Amino acid sequence: MVNNNIIINKLKKEIDAFQIKCRKAGLKVTPQRLVVYKALIETKQHPSAEMVFRRVRKVFHNISLDTVNRTLAILSKIGVASTVEGSGDAKRFDGNLKPHQHFKCIKCKRIIDFYHKPFENVKVPADIGEKFTVLRKTVYFEGICDSCR
Amino acid sequence: MVNNNIIINKLKKEIDAFQIKCRKAGLKVTPQRLVVYKALIETKQHPSAEMVFRRVRKVFHNISLDTVNRTLAILSKIGVASTVEGSGDAKRFDGNLKPHQHFKCIKCKRIIDFYHKPFENVKVPADIGEKFTVLRKTVYFEGICDSCR
DNA sequence: CTCTGTGCAAACACTTTGCAGCTAA
DNA sequence: TTAGCTGCAAAGTGTTTGCACAGAG
């Protein structure tokens, strides 16, 4: 057991809520899960598993990439994180649960959040809504970012 | 040189246009490119490279998966195909250039086209448009399809 | 104490690259 | 003829799986 007081300093409220969600889902609250969760909500980088891994390794030296991968999948499953849409490349994760949209630079792969109210609640066309269960609706832009052009 | 009359039977118009686009881009029109292109526009399945490969192998027995991969990348580059947005999994390609949106089943990975006019021309918010060059705007739904639920 | 979660290693899936021979233009 | 393309093989990147041990509840 690693000293949680060092790893978990701020973000107390989110972390408490996370622990409750874990227990509700029948999942143990392990220090690994806590650091991965914390690393994800601390950044706006929409990191890949590898990026999260490099980050958490600094405070949790012998965590494995597998655990990070498994944990990120779990976070998506219990609804405290999500995977960012995109075409190809490695999965990217997002701990921001507030409604927002993404712009992805096809050169540097940077993902930028933006928020445009009219996109917040895109209506599902009737024929789709009747036939399928829509769980996620996204508006997604791709292009070249300011620093790449 | 494989007999093109067997491979290229219908879709004459699209294929002629494709040949012109290739030449304009300085690309040679090879039988491999023709069969890959044809396989892609013939289906509504939004296939992965592997799926295209299995398809074209039936008519072009010794084509390699590498060539299929390279060709699909080229088709996207010259604008006669596109990669479908999604989270994770293998790249999926689309030869349908008409404006449309995608619904993807997270269980069976099936991608279904739909068309809802209001989504055709999503406006880019001013602050994004000024800062970034937006090349692609998509509205994308995820959920469970009729046969999976 | 028990059963889930972890770390490690290996397997796996998908994509990319280097290169020699081939072929469309 | 020749620049570009293909097929093959190998390597690279990202993800998944099986298993013994560790630790949260």
Side-chain angles (χ1 to χ4, degrees):
Chain A
M1 175 63 184
V2 177
N3 186 341
N4 276 344
N5 297 326
I6 293 169
I7 298 169
I8 300 148
N9 42 13
K10 287 167 287 188
L11 305 164
K12 186 103 179 45
K13 214 170 77 181
E14 286 86 347
I15 287 163
D16 283 349
F18 169 61
Q19 301 201 18
I20 291 165
K21 281 204 182 182
C22 278
R23 296 215 181 85
K24 271 192 183 152
L27 298 169
K28 290 181 180 170
V29 179
T30 64
Q32 286 91 334
R33 285 177 181 167
L34 285 170
V35 285
V36 168
Y37 175 69
K38 183 160 171 280
L40 189 63
I41 61 170
E42 257 183 2
T43 181
K44 289 200 166 191
Q45 308 240 342
H46 310 83
S48 63
E50 183 71 39
M51 288 156 86
V52 173
F53 176 59
R54 281 201 296 268
R55 227 181 133 75
V56 297
R57 260 233 156 148
K58 287 176 188 165
V59 292
F60 201 127
H61 299 279
N62 74 326
I63 196 169
S64 72
L65 173 58
D66 317 67
T67 298
V68 174
N69 257 309
R70 279 186 279 227
T71 304
L72 289 169
I74 286 169
L75 297 186
S76 300
K77 206 170 170 181
I78 64 172
V80 302
S82 62
T83 58
V84 180
E85 66 282 12
S87 354
D89 310 313
K91 280 197 193 78
R92 300 281 287 268
F93 297 88
D94 191 350
N96 178 2
L97 295 177
K98 280 175 280 186
H100 66 282
Q101 296 85 36
H102 292 131
F103 170 89
K104 182 170 182 182
C105 176
I106 56 172
K107 274 200 175 177
C108 69
K109 313 293 182 195
R110 194 156 60 106
I111 293 163
I112 293 135
D113 285 343
F114 68 92
Y115 175 69
H116 184 58
K117 191 133 205 285
F119 298 160
E120 186 176 339
N121 214 344
V122 173
K123 290 274 173 297
V124 178
D127 53 333
I128 294 296
E130 281 159 24
K131 216 169 165 194
F132 311 122
T133 309
V134 176
L135 299 173
R136 216 176 130 187
K137 303 172 287 179
T138 56
V139 176
Y140 167 63
F141 292 168
E142 257 181 23
I144 314 288
C145 77
D146 48 353
S147 31
C148 283
R149 71 178 181 194
Chain B
M1 176 63 183
V2 178
N3 186 342
N4 275 344
N5 297 325
I6 292 168
I7 298 167
I8 301 148
N9 41 14
K10 288 166 287 191
L11 305 164
K12 186 102 180 45
K13 214 170 76 181
E14 286 86 348
I15 287 163
D16 284 350
F18 169 60
Q19 301 202 17
I20 291 166
K21 281 205 182 182
C22 278
R23 297 215 181 85
K24 271 194 182 151
L27 299 168
K28 290 181 181 170
V29 179
T30 64
Q32 287 91 335
R33 285 178 180 166
L34 285 170
V35 287
V36 169
Y37 176 69
K38 184 161 170 280
L40 188 62
I41 61 170
E42 258 182 2
T43 181
K44 290 201 166 192
Q45 308 239 340
H46 311 83
S48 64
E50 184 71 38
M51 288 157 87
V52 172
F53 177 59
R54 280 201 296 269
R55 228 180 132 77
V56 297
R57 260 234 155 146
K58 287 177 188 164
V59 292
F60 201 128
H61 300 279
N62 75 326
I63 196 169
S64 72
L65 174 58
D66 317 68
T67 298
V68 173
N69 258 307
R70 279 187 278 227
T71 303
L72 289 170
I74 286 169
L75 297 186
S76 300
K77 207 170 172 183
I78 65 171
V80 302
S82 62
T83 56
V84 180
E85 67 282 11
S87 351
D89 311 314
K91 278 196 193 80
R92 301 279 288 267
F93 296 88
D94 192 350
N96 178 3
L97 295 176
K98 282 176 280 188
H100 65 282
Q101 296 85 36
H102 292 132
F103 170 89
K104 183 170 181 181
C105 175
I106 56 173
K107 274 200 176 173
C108 68
K109 313 294 182 193
R110 195 154 61 108
I111 294 164
I112 293 135
D113 286 341
F114 68 93
Y115 175 69
H116 185 57
K117 190 131 203 286
F119 298 161
E120 187 177 339
N121 213 343
V122 172
K123 291 272 172 295
V124 178
D127 53 332
I128 293 295
E130 281 158 24
K131 218 170 165 194
F132 311 123
T133 309
V134 176
L135 299 173
R136 214 176 130 187
K137 303 172 286 178
T138 56
V139 177
Y140 167 63
F141 292 169
E142 256 181 24
I144 314 287
C145 77
D146 47 355
S147 29
C148 283
R149 70 178 181 191

